[in-house]
Amino acid sequence: MCTTCGCPEEGHDHHHDHDGHLPGTRITIETDILAKNNRYAAGNRALFKANGIFALNLVSSPGSGKTTILERTLCDLSGNLRCAVIEGDQQTDNDARRIAATGVPVKQINTGAGCHLDAHMVGHALEELPTREMDILFIENVGNLVCPASFDLGEAHKVVVLSVTEGEDKPLKYPQMFHAADVMLLNKIDLLPYLDFDVEKCLEMARRVSPGIRIFQLSAKSGQGMAEWYEWLRGKG
Amino acid sequence: MHELSIVQGVVELCEQHCGGRRVLAVTLEIGSLSGAVPEALEFCFEAATKGTLLEGAELEIERVEATGYCSDCGVVSPVETYFDSCPSCGAPALLLRTGEEMRVKDLEVE
Ligand SMILES: Nc1nc2c(ncn2[C@@H]2O[C@H](COP(=O)(O)OP(=O)(O)OP(=O)(O)O)[C@@H](O)[C@H]2O)c(=O)[nH]1
Ligand SMILES: [Mg+2]
Ligand SMILES: [Zn+2]
């Protein structure tokens, strides 16, 4: 049996015409498939607005340094700003435990087989966080440069993290994600002396895919460049 | 594999609109820059529709080609990537007009 549409033939093409059917009734829908996610995202956005929360959705490939950037940011900022974190990973609460060690409220979401956070999951996580006492919410998405691009969580900005060990052409290889982001953190610049990474070329490619993208070059390890990022956060974008 | 969540979204939308009748066919409109791969959608469709009113329904995917508007010369041109420059005046960026859609267009019910 054909596995694509369940019809008994094999190897035919799937552009069926409908002549073989008894005439059915056609119903026009014209609705965005992600409409439900977008409704939940709008709900989250309303909650952020009502409570004055600046929400950021951090996206990247696995291991670019999202959690390390957050650990350092939280240690340096949480004296003045009330921060909270939602951690998305397929499995484990390792990242949530790293964040909890900084003393900041954190909620882990495990997506299991899922490759991205969606707005509904984030809405439930928010129920368990002190949204009335929160200035900035960082949402660390599942490490994946593809799928999280399509799912609005209600954030003010998608912040894409790219580390210099990944190669400078990532913006062109994963254009949908870089197009969806309007802030980019170029991380691990402490490693530049050991690599052939061309920073200018990388920035140029990021701007081609996302004109007007705001870029911070930093190292979560050495602390270099973090001050500009903090300044932007304090000014809330 | 976010195509699976997309197909689940399709199933939900259809079940809301089909008035409890069996769905014979669904037509989707998928933009060429939407990030959803038609083959992957087809692949997930059978598994995701099992035991629903869409079980056995035909999936029809209409590809929507991407176009972009040039704010320099005002021309709308076909677009292949997020970073195409304007083919008519060479301006470096185009504003996408079409190509990002992921829509259920219509249904055929019993
Ligand atoms: N040299 C250097 N290493 C870094 C820097 N930032 C992070 N790392 C290292 O990169 C590795 C991955 O960092 P994480 O912060 O866990 O990365 P992540 O993006 O949260 O990873 P996932 O959540 O698994 O996607 C760790 O070994 C970090 O110590 C940096 O600025 N410089
Ligand atoms: Mg992490
Ligand atoms: Zn032009």
Side-chain angles (χ1 to χ4, degrees):
Chain A
M1 188 174 86
C2 164
T3 51
T4 302
C5 64
C7 63
E9 306 157 49
E10 277 189 279
H12 66 117
D13 75 40
H14 289 101
H15 296 281
H16 301 261
D17 59 32
H18 294 259
D19 298 348
H21 285 305
L22 291 170
T25 312
R26 202 164 271 280
I27 303 174
T28 303
I29 300 198
E30 287 295 356
T31 304
D32 193 323
I33 296 169
L34 296 179
K36 185 173 160 205
N37 183 73
N38 295 342
R39 266 200 310 281
Y40 281 110
N44 295 344
R45 195 163 271 125
L47 184 142
F48 297 147
K49 187 162 184 224
N51 293 278
I53 299 169
F54 183 52
L56 299 175
N57 179 3
L58 274 75
V59 292
S60 80
S61 48
S64 66
K66 299 179 295 299
T67 310
T68 313
I69 291 170
L70 287 180
E71 288 173 303
R72 187 160 195 135
T73 303
L74 297 170
C75 288
D76 292 344
L77 287 191
S78 57
N80 317 318
L81 288 166
R82 297 166 302 177
C83 300
V85 176
I86 293 174
E87 278 292 339
D89 289 288
Q90 288 201 323
Q91 298 292 340
T92 83
D93 61 354
N94 295 350
D95 284 1
R97 280 190 277 138
R98 284 167 63 187
I99 298 297
T102 69
V104 162
V106 55
K107 175 73 188 146
Q108 177 80 50
I109 301 174
N110 283 132
T111 57
C115 49
H116 58 270
L117 292 176
D118 66 40
H120 182 235
M121 301 170 186
V122 167
H124 278 304
L126 285 167
E127 292 165 4
E128 296 179 44
L129 287 169
T131 45
R132 286 167 186 282
E133 294 117 37
M134 195 186 291
D135 299 311
I136 304 184
L137 173 70
F138 297 97
I139 305 169
E140 179 179 335
N141 218 313
V142 179
N144 176 343
L145 269 180
V146 183
C147 311
S150 302
F151 294 83
D152 182 13
L153 305 179
E155 71 273 1
H157 300 277
K158 266 194 192 64
V159 178
V160 63
V161 180
L162 175 62
S163 58
V164 297
T165 49
E166 296 171 61
E168 61 262 315
D169 57 352
K170 277 287 175 302
L172 298 193
K173 284 184 174 163
Y174 297 92
Q176 195 189 12
M177 183 62 90
F178 285 83
H179 182 79
D182 55 1
V183 179
M184 169 170 140
L185 306 183
L186 184 63
N187 188 33
K188 307 195 189 180
I189 60 169
D190 59 291
L191 298 177
L192 283 173
Y194 312 102
L195 304 166
D196 293 325
F197 188 90
D198 186 336
V199 173
E200 277 318 307
K201 209 161 141 192
C202 177
L203 304 189
E204 192 257 320
M205 290 193 256
R207 291 193 179 109
R208 250 169 85 191
V209 179
S210 182
I213 192 167
R214 183 184 296 267
I215 301 171
F216 299 95
Q217 300 179 45
L218 48 85
S219 164
K221 188 173 174 168
S222 72
Q224 195 185 341
M226 296 295 283
E228 287 81 7
W229 160 240
Y230 296 161
E231 198 182 317
W232 183 78
L233 287 174
R234 286 200 196 91
K236 303 236 181 113
Chain B
M1 273 306 279
H2 68 305
E3 274 80 2
L4 185 57
S5 11
I6 292 169
V7 171
Q8 283 162 350
V10 171
V11 171
E12 258 180 59
L13 266 179
C14 293
E15 292 204 315
Q16 278 165 23
H17 285 87
C18 70
R21 287 167 289 181
R22 223 165 64 77
V23 176
L24 305 173
V26 191
T27 311
L28 309 184
E29 293 170 312
I30 301 294
S32 59
L33 292 179
S34 69
V37 181
E39 290 73 19
L41 293 173
E42 287 173 1
F43 183 80
C44 296
F45 190 73
E46 188 186 347
T49 52
K50 215 156 240 129
T52 72
L53 290 166
L54 283 79
E55 187 164 344
E58 278 178 24
L59 178 65
E60 198 89 44
I61 298 181
E62 289 180 6
R63 197 91 173 131
V64 182
E65 293 307 326
T67 56
Y69 168 78
C70 175
S71 51
D72 284 9
C73 72
V75 171
V76 175
S77 317
V79 167
E80 268 172 31
T81 67
Y82 273 108
F83 43 87
D84 283 6
S85 44
C86 175
S88 114
C89 78
L94 295 169
L95 301 170
L96 282 184
R97 275 285 175 79
T98 60
E100 295 187 295
E101 35 289 275
M102 281 201 263
R103 273 199 303 264
V104 178
K105 184 183 180 191
D106 58 27
L107 288 183
E108 196 183 321
V109 296
E110 251 175 4

